Structures are given as C-alpha cells and as structure tokens.
C-alpha cells in the first residue's frame, strides 16, 4: 500500500488525508504553514507528523499537493520528486499542465464536493474525476476504491469543460436560491428556506434521477400568462436571470415534445418583450 504525503493542510487536503488514513493508507507526514492549518491537521490527522514539504516528499510514494489552484505549479515544482513517485493535485479546473515537467507521474484528482474543514467526511457517494497517464490508473483506482468512492476519467483537454459543469450546477444553484429567497421575502414570506425545502428536496432528487424529464411548473404546462406575470413582478438581476433560465427551459420542453410550436412561440414573444424593455402583457 502506497505511503501518502500531504503538502498543505487546507480543508480538502486534511479531509482526504484523514479518509486515506482511515482506509489503511500510511500517512507519513503533512506540511502546514499557518496556525489555522496546523490546528486543522492536529484535529483531523492528529497522529501524522507536521514536517517540511521536502521531508514529506522524501517519505512518500504518493505526494498529494493540496494547495490553492494558483499555487499548484510553484509548490509542486519546488518539491524533490523522483520518477518513482506520483504527484497529485485536487483542482477541478486544471488537468496535468500544472505538473508538467516534473519527475513524478502526474495525476489530477478532483472530489466534487464541499469540505468544511470541521469534521471527517464520508466519501461513499463521491465520484472522483481523474486525469492521468495510463501508468497511474491502477494506483488511482485502488486508492479511490479504498475510500469507498468511485472514479471517472476525463481527458486532459476536457478538464475546464468538466469543471464548468460542476460549478454551473453547484455554485450557481446557490446564486439562484439566494435570488429566490430575496423574492419570497419581498412577497412577505418570513422563512424562505422552510417554504422551499420540501419542493427543492423533491426536485433535486427527481432531477438527479430523471434529468430534465423531472421538470414541472408553468413552462412545462405551457402557461404563458403566468410567466408574463412573473416577469412583471420581478426586477433587476433576478428578472434577467429568470428570463434567461426561462428561455433555456422552453428549449428543454420543446426538445422533449411537451411544448408545441405555437406555445413556444408565445413564450418567445413574452421573453423578447422583456429583453427589449417592453412591459410583459
């Protein structure tokens, strides 16, 4: 079983380091620069020695570079890596380019989830996204399987597109809900979270299971007047977000045959009037 060295004690690195140690992998050392990082390491991986980056690298078979994206190249290239080692970063946006030119075999391994840094994490439902040379596939798959997780492989040139999809789903969902909370508060709803939780939970579960076929609501029903009324009552950035997502939703339900051409055209007229500044009718 490979010896793991951890460069950086941020939230993701310490969480994964703790999970690897719990899975039986020997965690031979961690480097931690700030007091917050040292405290986090002491809490989540208390039996792992805090060492210099060079010392950690010298003890490890797999060197996990768990630093911010902008620092990966500089940090990795400063390590005394050898051809017998694997060097792994955790960025979703980057492929192998930050590790280009190193002696060690490069791996980009992204866990698409949020780490709080407060507690140990469960990884059973996580599907890691990996990019690596063929020589690293067996090691990566064995490591991820030991964590109880799954791995999928993405080509190096597709990393940015992959990460865009993850960010569009996760980050923009928070933006969308923040806008919805504000609209509900303006309407007099005192607890938007409680109001939306059952609907959102069911919608997310249905969508993860059935994709866009889970779509309900006024556009799926062809209710043009309701969408026009919504646009009349919204303003600013929220109104433009609603209109743009409505356009995309119309396209979805037209494509799966739930919306006829005439109704789609009426939706298009309403949304175009909004875009040109006319009051929806």
């Amino acid at each position: 079983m490979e010896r793991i060295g951890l460069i950086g004690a941020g939230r993701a690195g310490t969480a994964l380091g703790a999970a690897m140690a719990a899975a039986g992998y020997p965690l031979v050392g961690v480097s931690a620069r700030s007091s917050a990082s040292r405290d986090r390491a002491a809490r989540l991986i208390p039996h792992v020695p805090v060492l210099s980056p060079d010392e950690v690298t010298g003890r490890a078979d797999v060197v996990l570079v768990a630093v911010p994206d902008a620092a990966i190249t500089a940090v990795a290239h400063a390590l005394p890596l050898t051809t017998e080692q694997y060097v792994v970063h955790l960025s979703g946006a980057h492929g192998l380019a930050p590790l280009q030119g190193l002696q060690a075999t490069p791996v980009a391994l992204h866990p698409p989830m949020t780490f709080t840094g407060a507690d140990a994490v469960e990884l059973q439902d996580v599907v890691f996204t990996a990019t690596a040379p063929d020589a690293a596939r067996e090691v990566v798959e064995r490591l991820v399987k030991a964590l109880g997780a799954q791995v999928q492989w993405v080509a190096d040139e597709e990393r940015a597109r992959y990460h865009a999809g993850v960010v569009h789903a996760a980050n923009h969902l928070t933006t969308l809900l923040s806008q919805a909370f504000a609209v509900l508060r303006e309407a007099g709803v005192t607890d938007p979270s409680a109001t939306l939780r059952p609907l959102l939970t069911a919608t997310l579960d249905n969508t993860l299971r059935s994709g866009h076929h889970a779509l309900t609501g006024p556009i799926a029903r062809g209710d043009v007047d309701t969408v026009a009324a919504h646009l009349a009552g919204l303003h600013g950035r929220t109104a433009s977000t609603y209109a743009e997502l409505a356009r995309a939703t119309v396209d979805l339900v037209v494509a799966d045959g739930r919306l006829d051409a005439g109704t789609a055209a009426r939706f298009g007229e309403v949304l175009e009037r909004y875009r040109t500044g006319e009051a929806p009718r």
Side-chain angles (χ1 to χ4, degrees), residues 78-170:
L79 299 174
L81 295 160
T82 71
T83 56
E84 301 300 316
Q85 294 175 302
Y86 300 87
V87 59
V88 182
H89 75 64
L90 302 176
S91 170
H94 297 291
L96 302 181
L99 307 177
Q100 187 173 6
L102 295 173
Q103 291 291 314
T105 301
V107 177
L109 186 65
H110 181 239
M113 66 177 298
T114 298
F115 297 96
T116 66
D119 301 297
V121 296
E122 295 293 332
L123 299 173
Q124 284 81 356
D125 294 329
V126 175
V127 181
F128 284 74
T129 300
T131 301
D134 289 344
R137 292 179 75 101
E138 182 181 346
V139 170
V140 172
E141 290 178 352
R142 183 169 62 246
L143 192 154
V144 172
K145 183 178 179 180
L147 297 177
Q150 301 177 58
V151 63
Q152 61 188 351
W153 295 88
V154 170
D156 199 27
E157 63 271 18
E158 295 295 343
R159 292 290 293 200
R161 195 195 310 269
Y162 153 75
H163 196 240
V166 172
V167 168
H168 192 38

Side-chain angles (χ1 to χ4, degrees), residues 11-238:
R11 291 178 294 178
T14 50
L16 286 178
M20 291 175 188
Y25 276 86
L27 199 57
V28 297
V30 57
S31 68
R33 295 179 58 184
S34 69
S35 58
S37 293
R38 289 191 293 272
D39 290 345
R40 188 180 298 111
R43 185 173 65 255
L44 293 180
I45 45 177
H47 304 300
V48 178
V50 177
L51 306 170
S52 71
D54 284 8
E55 289 174 312
V56 173
T57 302
R59 297 183 178 195
D61 302 307
V62 176
V63 180
L64 190 65
V65 180
V67 299
D69 285 13
I72 292 171
T73 299
V75 170
H77 281 75
L79 299 174
L81 295 160
T82 71
T83 56
E84 301 300 316
Q85 294 175 302
Y86 300 87
V87 59
V88 182
H89 75 64
L90 302 176
S91 170
H94 297 291
L96 302 181
L99 307 177
Q100 187 173 6
L102 295 173
Q103 291 291 314
T105 301
V107 177
L109 186 65
H110 181 239
M113 66 177 298
T114 298
F115 297 96
T116 66
D119 301 297
V121 296
E122 295 293 332
L123 299 173
Q124 284 81 356
D125 294 329
V126 175
V127 181
F128 284 74
T129 300
T131 301
D134 289 344
R137 292 179 75 101
E138 182 181 346
V139 170
V140 172
E141 290 178 352
R142 183 169 62 246
L143 192 154
V144 172
K145 183 178 179 180
L147 297 177
Q150 301 177 58
V151 63
Q152 61 188 351
W153 295 88
V154 170
D156 199 27
E157 63 271 18
E158 295 295 343
R159 292 290 293 200
R161 195 195 310 269
Y162 153 75
H163 196 240
V166 172
V167 168
H168 192 38
N171 296 172
H172 295 169
L173 177 60
T174 299
T175 302
L176 178 62
L177 291 180
S178 296
Q179 290 185 350
F181 290 169
V183 171
L184 289 173
R185 290 190 186 100
E186 290 175 2
V189 175
T190 57
D191 192 345
S193 294
T195 301
L196 290 174
R197 182 172 286 109
L199 175 61
L200 291 174
T201 299
T203 299
L204 181 59
D205 183 64
N206 290 339
T207 302
L208 290 173
R209 185 172 56 249
S210 304
H212 72 277
H213 298 290
L215 187 67
T216 62
I219 292 178
R221 295 192 300 267
D223 190 348
V224 179
D225 291 341
T226 294
V227 170
H230 291 172
L231 288 170
L234 297 173
H235 52 82
R237 179 70 71 184
T238 299

